[in-house]
Amino acid sequence: MLQQTRVETVIPYYHAFMEKLPTIEALAAIEDQKLLKLWQGLGYYNRAANMKKAALIIVEEYNGRLPEKAELLMKLPGIGIYTAGAIASIAFGEKVPAADGNVFRVVARITGEEGNILKSNIQKKLRHQIANLLPDEKTGDFNQGLIELGALICIGNGMPRCGECPVRDDCMAYEKNLQKVLPNRSKNKSRKIEYKSVVLLTSKKKIALVQRQNDVLLANLWEYPVIENFCEENELAEALQKQGINVTGIRELTKEKAVFSHKEWHMKVYYAETETMDEVFTWKSKEEISKYYPVASAYAGCWKYLPE
Ligand code: SF4
């Protein structure tokens, strides 16, 4: 849950999750819709899907107990080398590194590594260097120490707090005054921008919904009808008419933006009414949507415009 998400945001989700799904078996058995509903608003929905897949494997292959070795943990969906190292070292005492981006930054500064820490060969090299430093006992504490150093002292944006740093005397970046230069991270690629027209289509206070495919961004979540590209009101009415839907009262409400790691959606949001509830859509009241239909949070700004 904490991947790419702030702790304060996660806490209420964590409690709700543990209340509804207190065991691995309960997680393995939950219906996908209910799982998405519990996760709604946290984003990166494949994390939820992966947790369920991992729970199924743990129940079927490991008798309901999480495997203890990093190499087995890494085979579970959603668990990468960092998470596997963190679980294995902190929970089970295995002598393995737990290195995420923050730890790579700290170690690159300490060792004076000039290679790009976003590249896998450099990460492998740094992980190897950490592995050589690991103590035989309390490896989890050591790993957590590095993680905390990255979070609190050897911070990413702006100058690290070298004056308070316990490893200052062994730090190459400090010695050579390279804290602003290291670590080397190449710029992120720019995001692809997609333009969309979103229609809050209503009929007798019911709202049209569509479920997204299971192999796309925000898989299986629900959304309002979308026409690709920005349309004017008449173009939108025409596009809907081609699908057999006659609309009235069409008007532009607002513009919204949703930002993902690799793309941005720029959305023009329209309101429209129709007489008939065409079967291409699922028609639900606002209350039903809030209770049972996980709508992608990209559309959160549309909520206040839906009829009660
Ligand atoms: S001395 Fe400064 S740059 Fe080096 S590890 Fe500590 S905080 Fe980071």
Side-chain angles (χ1 to χ4, degrees), residues 63-76:
N63 211 14
R65 280 185 64 85
L66 197 64
E68 297 187 3
K69 295 284 177 205
E71 61 169 324
L72 294 178
L73 286 162
M74 251 190 299
K75 291 183 181 162
L76 296 174

